[in-house]
């Protein structure tokens, strides 16, 4: 009688097991990294857009252009620089000063309830600059722009008391609208920049789509205010 043969027991190679485990460990993070890469690129792009086209920068370029267009030559540049100083640079400096004191974390001031002092600084600064322009007989176009920005800021302050609205979108829209009124309707093509700013604010989760659309709409309304002056 033949004794039944038993199949040899399977042996496990410790080295192979270790290699398989290491491969499995590496595969998971690689997949996660690959899926996170597009999101990281999108955020980086949005960050660059929102930093380059922040209100201070848009107002600096925009008000210089408005000053030139209002005067018809380079003599309007100093008035444009004064407008940029009062509407953009002074408020930005105030935000940085409060940021240094620890009042808020960054220039975006994401907490709506802490924004009111900024609006009051903007109103005071634009009002002071406008008074200087009146006394200095500045071109009517730059004065019109200052009045429109002052009215826009009042609107932003009023809305902000109950709902968070995008200031970056409002400024990006207002400058384009004002240039189209003071200089040429061709400036309306620059609304591509405004759309990019709105997109960046949503992509960075600082605002909703509705908040950016509301801000851009209020900014565009400054052109109406300018036309009525």
């Amino acid at each position: 009688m033949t004794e039944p043969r038993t199949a040899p027991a399977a042996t496990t190679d410790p080295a192979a097991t270790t290699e398989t485990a290491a491969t499995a460990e590496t595969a998971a993070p690689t997949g996660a990294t690959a899926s996170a890469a597009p999101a990281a690129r999108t955020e980086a792009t949005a960050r660059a857009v929102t930093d380059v086209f922040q209100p201070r920068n848009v107002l600096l370029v925009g008000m210089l252009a408005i000053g030139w267009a209002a005067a018809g030559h380079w003599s309007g540049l100093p008035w444009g620089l004064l407008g940029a100083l009062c509407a953009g640079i002074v408020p930005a400096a105030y935000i940085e000063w409060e940021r240094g004191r620890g009042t808020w974390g960054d220039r975006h001031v994401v907490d709506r309830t802490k924004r009111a002092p900024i609006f009051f600084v903007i109103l005071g600064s634009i009002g002071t600059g406008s008074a200087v322009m009146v006394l200095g007989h500045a071109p009517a176009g730059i004065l019109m722009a200052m009045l429109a920005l002052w009215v826009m800021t009042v609107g932003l302050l009023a809305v902000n008391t109950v709902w968070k609205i995008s200031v970056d979108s409002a400024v990006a829209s207002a400058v384009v609208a004002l240039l189209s009124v003071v200089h040429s309707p061709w400036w309306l093509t620059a609304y591509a920049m405004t759309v990019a700013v709105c997109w960046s604010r949503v992509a960075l989760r600082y605002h909703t789509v509705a908040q950016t659309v509301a801000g851009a709409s209020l900014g565009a309304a400054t052109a109406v205010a300018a036309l009525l002056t």
Side-chain angles (χ1 to χ4, degrees):
M1 191 172 179
T2 306
E3 183 178 351
R5 294 182 180 181
T6 304
T11 58
T12 303
D13 184 353
T17 303
T18 303
E19 183 179 351
T20 302
T23 303
E25 279 183 14
T26 306
T30 301
T33 303
S35 62
R41 285 194 296 268
T42 298
E43 183 172 353
T45 302
R47 181 72 58 189
V49 170
T50 205
D51 286 344
V52 170
F53 297 112
Q54 62 180 281
R56 176 191 63 195
N57 297 342
V58 172
L59 284 165
L60 178 59
V61 175
M63 294 303 280
L64 285 171
I66 290 171
W68 182 295
H73 44 72
W74 67 268
S75 64
L77 290 177
W79 294 116
L81 183 59
L82 176 61
L85 176 70
C86 295
I89 298 174
V90 168
Y94 170 71
I95 290 172
E96 288 301 317
W97 179 66
E98 288 286 15
R99 180 183 175 186
R101 296 175 61 209
T103 305
W104 41 67
D106 55 29
R107 76 166 184 87
H108 303 286
V109 193
V110 294
D111 186 350
R112 173 182 61 81
T113 62
K114 294 182 179 181
R115 290 183 165 191
I118 304 173
F119 291 123
F120 287 122
V121 168
I122 296 171
L123 289 172
S125 183
I126 292 178
T128 301
S130 299
V132 172
M133 289 181 180
V134 169
L135 294 174
H137 304 288
I142 193 71
L143 268 170
M144 177 179 67
M146 292 289 278
L147 175 60
L149 290 173
W150 195 89
V151 171
M152 182 190 75
T153 304
V154 171
L156 289 170
L157 173 60
V159 173
N160 187 76
T161 58
V162 294
W163 189 58
K164 187 177 178 182
I165 188 170
S166 175
V167 176
D168 288 54
S169 301
V171 171
S173 178
V175 169
V176 173
L178 288 169
L179 279 167
S180 70
V181 171
V182 175
H183 187 223
S184 167
W186 282 104
W187 279 103
L188 292 174
T189 59
Y191 261 104
M193 178 267 295
T194 305
V195 172
V197 170
C198 292
W199 167 80
S200 72
R201 306 303 290 175
V202 175
L204 293 170
R205 296 176 294 281
Y206 289 133
H207 291 285
T208 64
V209 172
Q211 289 166 351
T212 59
V213 170
S217 299
L218 183 57
T222 61
V224 176
L227 286 170
L228 294 177
T229 57

